[in-house]
Amino acid sequence: MSFYTRAYDPNGVGLDFAYVAGRGITATDTPIRRITTQTSDPRIQFPLIGQVSGQVLQGGFIGDYTGLAIGADFRIHPSWTDFRGNPGTTDPNQDVITQSIPILP
């Protein structure tokens, strides 16, 4: 199972993409394994208007544009939307990223 997590940001704001591996129908007591190498700050994009304050809020909804495939190569192939752009070079934008990770140790 792959997902966005705030577990790697001590302030609980930044997002990373991670996965857990389990057997059977549950993944409890399974360590979260980080896939991304740099935390993304969702406040950079995805503004919305606060229902109570009426103020512009950043990072309200980043979407749930993720996927995970398991290949015949015994590897998982997670994909996710990364919104950092190329830090220091380009403005934040949305890119689809994937990585191939072995299932078996």
Side-chain angles (χ1 to χ4, degrees):
M1 173 173 45
S2 59
F3 50 91
Y4 290 106
T5 180
R6 297 181 194 275
Y8 295 95
D9 181 5
N11 298 316
V13 174
L15 294 173
D16 283 281
F17 201 68
Y19 74 100
V20 294
R23 296 178 187 256
I25 60 171
T26 183
T28 54
D29 299 328
T30 304
I32 296 174
R33 294 183 172 106
R34 185 178 185 183
I35 299 171
T36 50
T37 58
Q38 181 179 355
T39 300
S40 294
D41 186 342
R43 297 174 294 186
I44 293 172
Q45 289 188 321
F46 313 105
L48 57 82
I49 303 297
Q51 290 181 351
V52 174
S53 68
Q55 299 295 315
V56 174
L57 306 173
Q58 298 292 332
F61 177 71
I62 66 162
D64 49 5
Y65 314 111
T66 66
L68 178 70
I70 300 176
D73 56 357
F74 295 105
R75 300 179 74 81
I76 60 171
H77 303 275
S79 61
W80 65 97
T81 303
D82 186 289
F83 45 90
R84 289 177 286 133
N86 188 352
T89 305
T90 62
D91 290 334
N93 59 60
Q94 297 179 40
D95 297 305
V96 176
I97 307 294
T98 188
Q99 184 171 338
S100 179
I101 301 169
I103 293 173
L104 304 173

